[in-house]
């Protein structure tokens, strides 16, 4: 069995962090919940306290249906029209500082513009068209994203006709929230404002639905969490992360003015890449620094960066990094050159996070260098569109895979936003 110092540890930690959500679920105080089973098909669920704020494509489309559902046998269907959304809301009142919602959401298709389905906290009376404080929506670019008065962040791609479990927990005392999709943590520390103004949960089919994209909602609930229980879960996960970081730091090996970490299996390798390498370790440490503000973690993340920089190779108008494994330990004396996040695009992501954390342009230059190499050697244009080659130098079997498109696409989007 391989002993992996680096991403193996990091993945263990990252899979433990979303368990905070599971702990919260055990301690929730339900404010309201609705599976839409108590209403007649073809009616709007007014008797359950729901209000139809705007009627989108018309009242007859904003109804309970039994054609689509997450839990048998009914859900709420909404249909917006171009320039006029369908919005349903259910008001609630609580003084709780930590509130959240959970809902299963499905959109039938991608909207041509704007958004289709959305769910979030809002107040209809705080702005002409309502004020949104923390919302998750299905956008025309094929991404589920979260939106606040302060910013927007893409969370993950979505597939039309598929149910997605959306969970959001908001700390109104700090105006910050986290989002999970299908129980995977997708965003944390998202900023909003004046969250105590929230007085309702909204479900909507945006005007991007254009009278043709029906949106469905099921198993909706709003809850509160007592602060001491919420922070107990967060503190436990943070403690685990810090202990793992201490262990990872203890395994660092100095080289020049940088640090590297061993991947130990049949052979010992020191890889600069994200998967089982220094970039993955550094990404974990810089993320932990952002949470704790402990400069020790930032120091070791930058030491990882120094070693990765020493391993950079200028090729084909950009910067790239090779790695080694046990599949063919001696066949490629210069290592493998691959595009996905586990390899070069992951190195670029690490440098980009360091730049966003420190403001040092050197890190941005290396992130852009990785992107240039991917574009120059990995990006191929066809009459049907473009794709990124997984193994651009064709060192072994190669082909077109979906995950390099995702990994490289996310890196490019993040670089564009920066």
């Amino acid at each position: 069995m391989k002993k992996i110092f680096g991403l193996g540890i990091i993945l263990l930690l990252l899979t433990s962090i979303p368990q905070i959500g599971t702990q919260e679920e055990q301690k929730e105080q339900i404010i309201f919940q609705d599976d839409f089973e108590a209403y007649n098909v073809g009616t709007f669920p007014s008797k359950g306290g729901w209000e139809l704020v705007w009627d989108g494509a018309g009242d007859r489309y904003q109804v309970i249906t039994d054609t689509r559902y997450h839990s048998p046998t009914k859900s709420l269907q909404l249909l917006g029209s171009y320039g006029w959304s369908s919005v349903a809301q259910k008001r609630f009142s609580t003084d709780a500082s930590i509130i959240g919602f959970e809902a299963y959401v499905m959109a039938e298709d991608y909207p041509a513009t704007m958004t289709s389905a959305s769910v979030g906290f809002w107040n209809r009376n705080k702005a002409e068209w309502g004020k949104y404080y923390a919302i998750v929506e299905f956008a025309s670019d094929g991404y589920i994203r979260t939106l606040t008065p302060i910013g927007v962040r893409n969370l993950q791609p979505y597939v039309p006709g598929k149910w997605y479990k959306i969970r959001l927990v908001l700390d109104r005392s700090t105006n910050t929230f986290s989002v999970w999709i299908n129980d995977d943590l997708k965003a944390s520390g998202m900023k909003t404002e004046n969250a105590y103004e929230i007085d309702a949960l909204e479900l909507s089919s945006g005007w991007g639905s254009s009278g043709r994209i029906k949106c469905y909602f099921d198993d909706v609930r709003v809850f509160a969490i007592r602060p001491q229980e919420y922070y107990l879960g967060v503190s436990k996960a943070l403690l685990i992360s810090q202990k793992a970081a201490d262990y990872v730091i203890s395994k660092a090996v100095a080289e020049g003015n940088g640090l590297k970490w061993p991947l130990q299996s049949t052979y010992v390798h020191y890889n600069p890449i994200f998967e089982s390498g220094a970039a993955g370790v550094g990404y974990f440490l810089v993320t932990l620094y952002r949470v704790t503000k402990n400069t020790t973690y930032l120091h070791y993340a930058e030491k990882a960066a120094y070693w990765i920089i020493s391993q950079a190779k200028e090729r084909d108008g950009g910067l790239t990094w090779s790695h080694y494994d046990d599949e063919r330990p001696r066949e490629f004396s210069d290592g493998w050159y691959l595009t996905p996040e586990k390899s070069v695009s992951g190195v670029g992501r690490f440098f980009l996070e360091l730049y966003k954390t420190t403001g040092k342009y050197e890190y941005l230059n290396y992130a852009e260098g990785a992107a240039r190499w991917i574009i120059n050697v990995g990006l191929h244009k066809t009459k049907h569109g473009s794709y990124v080659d997984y193994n651009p130098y064709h060192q072994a079997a190669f082909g077109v895979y979906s995950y390099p498109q995702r990994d490289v696409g996310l890196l490019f989007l993040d670089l564009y936003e920066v």
Side-chain angles (χ1 to χ4, degrees), residues 318-319 321 351-352 355 360-372 415:
L319 296 172
W321 289 263
F351 279 121
L352 188 58
Y355 167 70
K360 297 179 181 179
Y361 280 99
E362 179 183 20
Y363 299 138
L364 180 59
N365 290 336
Y366 277 93
E368 291 181 321
R372 285 196 302 273
L415 276 168

Side-chain angles (χ1 to χ4, degrees), residues 9-286:
I9 300 291
I10 295 164
L11 291 176
L12 175 62
L13 287 165
L14 294 181
T15 55
S16 75
I17 296 298
Q19 297 303 314
I20 300 170
T22 303
Q23 294 166 9
E24 288 165 2
E25 290 170 8
Q26 297 171 358
K27 298 175 173 64
E28 292 170 0
Q29 299 170 330
I30 301 299
I31 297 173
F32 75 79
Q33 58 187 0
D34 207 332
D35 60 7
F36 302 107
E37 297 300 314
Y39 315 106
N40 294 327
V41 171
T43 67
F44 184 80
S46 301
K47 69 178 184 179
W50 292 94
E51 305 170 51
L52 188 60
V53 180
W54 296 302
D55 64 356
D59 288 354
R60 65 193 180 101
Y61 294 106
Q62 326 308 328
V63 295
I64 300 299
T65 180
D66 59 3
T67 61
R68 300 288 187 101
Y69 48 80
H70 173 259
S71 63
T73 56
K74 301 172 187 176
S75 69
L76 175 62
Q77 169 192 292
L78 298 176
L79 178 61
S81 63
Y82 186 78
W84 194 248
S85 298
S86 169
V87 177
Q89 72 168 6
K90 185 164 182 175
R91 296 177 186 270
F92 64 91
S93 178
T94 178
D95 293 328
S97 61
I98 300 174
I99 60 174
F101 68 77
E102 198 170 273
Y104 285 84
V105 184
M106 177 199 292
E108 282 190 330
D109 200 355
Y110 298 116
T113 184
M114 304 294 287
T115 62
S116 54
S118 74
V119 54
F121 287 132
W122 85 325
N123 186 315
R124 168 66 186 90
N125 299 315
K126 290 297 181 180
E128 181 178 2
W129 297 103
K131 183 174 180 180
Y132 296 86
Y133 300 87
I135 186 171
V136 177
E137 57 188 17
F138 290 59
S140 60
D141 62 359
Y143 275 82
I144 300 174
R145 66 189 186 188
T146 186
L147 182 71
T148 78
I150 297 174
V152 61
R153 181 188 297 182
N154 284 339
L155 302 177
Q156 72 168 57
Y158 69 93
V159 177
K162 180 178 178 180
W163 286 101
Y164 290 89
K165 180 183 179 183
I166 307 298
R167 178 179 173 84
L168 185 149
V169 176
L170 168 63
D171 186 342
R172 297 200 285 186
S173 68
T174 61
N175 283 309
T176 59
F177 66 89
S178 300
V179 181
W180 291 257
I181 300 177
N182 296 336
D183 294 321
D184 288 332
L185 183 64
K186 296 296 182 178
S188 61
M190 292 294 297
K191 298 288 187 180
T192 186
E193 61 184 21
N194 303 320
Y196 276 101
E197 294 177 351
I198 293 166
D199 73 347
L201 181 77
E202 70 88 39
L203 310 176
S204 74
S205 173
W207 58 269
S209 296
S210 303
R212 67 177 183 86
I213 303 174
K214 294 176 181 176
C215 302
Y216 301 90
F217 305 86
D218 204 358
D219 299 323
V220 176
R221 59 195 180 110
V222 171
F223 52 84
I225 302 172
R226 288 186 294 179
Q228 61 269 32
E229 293 172 342
Y230 176 78
Y231 289 115
L232 179 62
V234 172
S235 297
K236 183 177 180 181
L238 183 58
L239 177 62
I240 294 170
S241 300
Q242 290 173 311
K243 285 186 176 296
D246 292 342
Y247 175 79
V248 171
I249 288 171
S250 74
K251 298 300 178 181
V253 176
E255 183 174 289
N257 66 341
L259 292 172
K260 59 184 181 179
W261 281 263
L263 165 62
Q264 293 183 329
S265 51
T266 306
Y267 304 90
V268 176
H269 306 293
Y270 294 93
N271 285 326
I273 61 168
F274 198 94
E275 182 180 75
S276 307
V281 173
Y283 187 92
F284 165 53
L285 294 174
V286 74

Side-chain angles (χ1 to χ4, degrees), residues 279-298:
V281 173
Y283 187 92
F284 165 53
L285 294 174
V286 74
T287 302
L288 195 54
Y289 163 74
R290 286 183 170 181
V291 174
T292 65
K293 303 306 179 185
N294 184 334
T295 55
T296 297
Y297 301 133
L298 180 59

Side-chain angles (χ1 to χ4, degrees), residues 330-350:
R330 296 184 179 87
E331 185 170 344
F332 302 120
S333 60
D334 198 28
W336 296 85
Y337 293 88
L338 307 177
T339 59
E341 182 158 291
K342 68 178 184 179
S343 190
V344 174
S345 63
V347 175
R349 179 169 293 279
F350 168 49

